[in-house]
Amino acid sequence: MALKELQIRSLRPTDKIYQCTDDRGLYLEVHPNGSKLWRYKYRHMGKQKRLALGRYPDIGLAEARRRRDDARRKLEAGSDPLAERKHDKLIAAFKAANSFGDVAKEYIDKMVAEGRADTTTTKANWLLEQLAPIASRPVADLKPIDLLAALKRLEAKGKHETARRCRSFASRVFRYAVATGRGETDPTSILRGALIAPKVTHHAAILEPEQVGELLRAIDGYSGHTVTRIAMQIAPHVMARPGELRMAQWPEFDLDGAVWKIPAERMKMRRPHAIPLSRQVLAYLEELHPLTGPEGFVFPAFHTSLRPMSENTINQAFRRMGYSVGEVTPHGLRTTASTLLNESGQWSPDAIERSLAHADANTIRGIYNRGRYWEERVAMHQWWSDHLDAMRDTAVQEEPRRARA
């Protein structure tokens, strides 16, 4: 006999679970704790199964019968309602565990496993923070308009370069999601041209020989931390990127062979790089060795030898020496070297580019040139160090910039 609402409300729990049958497989299961649970019992492929339909009174009698009828229609269509529900739960769980943020973190973990530089992974985590508005959304559900809205919020704050970098980072995450079966497309691909193009800025650099000499004199006279002074003295000679220099470790230096070998994981282009060491650089390293060697970071942080010098240390030293942000930066020293070496006309552009660790557009040519120009680069680095000394020695001795009016 079919159940009635009044009858259901009057059911009382006992010390055992019991059932009250309604019709066509629907029944109510009453538990000792007082819970009343709707169940639908059916057979599929010769097996007895039951499907949970909800809790009474949250699900009333009429709703329970509607859910039973929906399940019966699926059975008649050849589907197993219980298997279909499990599948839907799996899909929901899959989507919940595969938000944009989850996939992005997995992608960053992959970068770490591949040995990408700490600065690279730190920037990736920072970019993910900027994309917080979409981080919790399932990566497969995101549309171009969703990402555009997040990027436009950054543009509205004047962060045009950040928005551009976030689009690029998001593109890599979406492509990773596609490759790992959790996405279908890269919605950022059609956003090209939708963002405001940031103005190109160049690293501040000194290009006049007399001013270069004045800078070198100022560095020699720097009264701050000795390690900072030597880092500034070495930087113009080796032409390395600031991050490559400040994270240098003593085992990378072959002082007898006069070469600094930087491993691929620390290089921007992910290729190992060798830098010839001039006599001047070797002298600076010999001065520094008793202070920070023979193991660990060549230029450690002030407070701990377990971490490298801060990326702002040399910039702050330049500011204390009286140089403004628009005059000189550690990265700008590479521009100084590139410009003056090319203007000298004594060295092939390829040798200069190799010393700057710039990527060769032609991969095969780049591999060939890395070995071909070594001897020229050794001579060039010694010439450049001698030329730096000459510019320093001939520069007019001036009062410290900080003391000027």
Side-chain angles (χ1 to χ4, degrees), residues 76 80 95-96 103 105 115 127 173-174 181 196 202 205 211 219 250-251 255 276 284 324 338 374 377-378 385 403:
E76 291 171 358
D80 179 357
K95 285 187 175 182
V103 176
K105 289 174 183 175
L127 291 171
V173 173
F174 282 119
I196 298 172
H202 299 283
Q211 294 177 4
I219 291 174
W250 280 110
L255 300 182
Y284 289 132
S324 66
S338 176
W374 177 252
R377 289 179 58 214
V378 171
S385 287

Side-chain angles (χ1 to χ4, degrees), residues 321-380:
M321 288 159 54
Y323 286 91
S324 66
V325 176
E327 285 185 285
V328 64
T329 64
H331 207 292
L333 296 175
R334 285 164 51 82
T335 303
T336 299
S338 176
T339 301
L340 298 186
L341 282 168
N342 276 291
E343 287 181 353
S344 75
Q346 298 192 43
W347 314 102
S348 67
D350 282 329
I352 297 171
E353 290 298 289
R354 282 305 311 137
S355 280
L356 292 167
H358 286 161
D360 197 303
N362 184 309
T363 304
I364 302 300
R365 176 170 173 257
I367 294 172
Y368 175 60
N369 285 348
R370 282 202 292 278
R372 177 184 175 188
Y373 291 102
W374 177 252
E375 291 185 4
E376 182 181 0
R377 289 179 58 214
V378 171
M380 181 179 71

Side-chain angles (χ1 to χ4, degrees), residues 35-312:
S35 297
K36 299 174 182 179
L37 308 175
W38 292 110
R39 302 284 189 246
Y40 169 52
K41 183 167 58 179
Y42 65 96
R43 295 185 70 84
H44 181 74
M45 304 293 288
K47 292 184 179 180
Q48 185 75 37
K49 297 188 175 185
R50 70 173 190 168
L51 181 68
L53 300 180
R55 178 190 300 270
Y56 182 88
D58 296 336
I59 303 300
L61 178 58
E63 177 62 19
R65 287 172 175 168
R66 188 191 66 76
R67 294 187 178 190
R68 173 205 59 195
D69 292 341
D70 288 342
R72 284 174 59 85
R73 281 190 287 272
K74 291 177 181 178
L75 273 172
E76 291 171 358
S79 299
D80 179 357
L82 182 59
E84 192 172 301
R85 174 177 291 180
K86 289 180 178 179
H87 177 264
D88 291 343
K89 285 184 177 180
L90 284 173
I91 293 296
F94 180 78
K95 285 187 175 182
N98 288 283
S99 66
F100 178 85
D102 291 328
V103 176
K105 289 174 183 175
E106 186 179 317
Y107 174 71
I108 294 172
D109 288 342
K110 174 176 173 289
M111 294 169 63
V112 173
E114 291 173 344
R116 302 295 293 274
D118 290 342
T119 51
T120 302
T121 54
T122 298
K123 286 179 182 177
N125 279 301
W126 181 80
L127 291 171
L128 176 57
E129 291 176 5
Q130 310 311 303
L131 292 169
I134 64 170
S136 61
R137 298 276 301 278
V139 68
D141 291 350
L142 287 168
K143 301 291 187 279
I145 190 64
D146 300 317
L147 186 62
L148 183 61
L151 297 176
K152 284 297 183 181
R153 288 181 59 179
L154 293 171
E155 280 195 343
K157 299 176 183 178
K159 299 180 179 180
H160 300 155
E161 178 62 21
T162 298
R164 186 187 68 83
R165 291 179 180 270
C166 282
R167 190 206 66 78
S168 178
F169 172 71
S171 177
R172 298 195 296 275
V173 173
F174 282 119
R175 283 184 276 122
Y176 176 73
V178 173
T180 55
R182 289 168 290 182
E184 296 181 359
T185 61
D186 172 11
T188 70
S189 60
I190 64 173
L191 296 181
R192 297 181 186 276
L195 300 177
I196 298 172
K199 293 182 179 179
V200 177
T201 58
H202 299 283
H203 296 286
I206 294 176
L207 303 178
E208 294 298 326
E210 184 175 338
Q211 294 177 4
V212 173
E214 181 186 339
L215 171 65
L216 296 175
R217 280 180 176 272
I219 291 174
D220 288 348
Y222 181 66
S223 60
H225 198 278
T226 301
V227 174
T228 303
R229 171 180 59 79
I230 297 177
M232 289 191 293
Q233 287 174 318
I234 290 176
H237 295 262
V238 294
M239 312 179 206
R241 295 179 178 87
E244 294 159 5
L245 181 65
R246 69 183 185 83
M247 298 187 72
Q249 300 195 31
W250 280 110
E252 298 168 3
F253 287 85
D254 177 0
L255 300 182
D256 292 331
V259 61
W260 172 22
K261 297 179 180 178
I262 310 176
E265 59 267 21
R266 288 228 330 276
M267 294 300 298
K268 180 178 181 180
M269 307 312 298
R270 320 314 300 169
R271 290 198 295 260
H273 182 55
I275 297 177
L277 302 178
S278 66
R279 292 188 298 274
Q280 289 87 336
V281 173
L282 288 172
Y284 289 132
L285 291 172
E286 287 174 6
E287 179 185 355
L288 185 61
H289 192 270
L291 301 176
T292 66
E295 299 291 334
F297 292 108
V298 178
F299 308 102
F302 298 152
H303 59 285
T304 174
S305 61
L306 300 179
R307 297 182 63 182
M309 175 186 291
S310 166
E311 59 184 343
N312 292 319

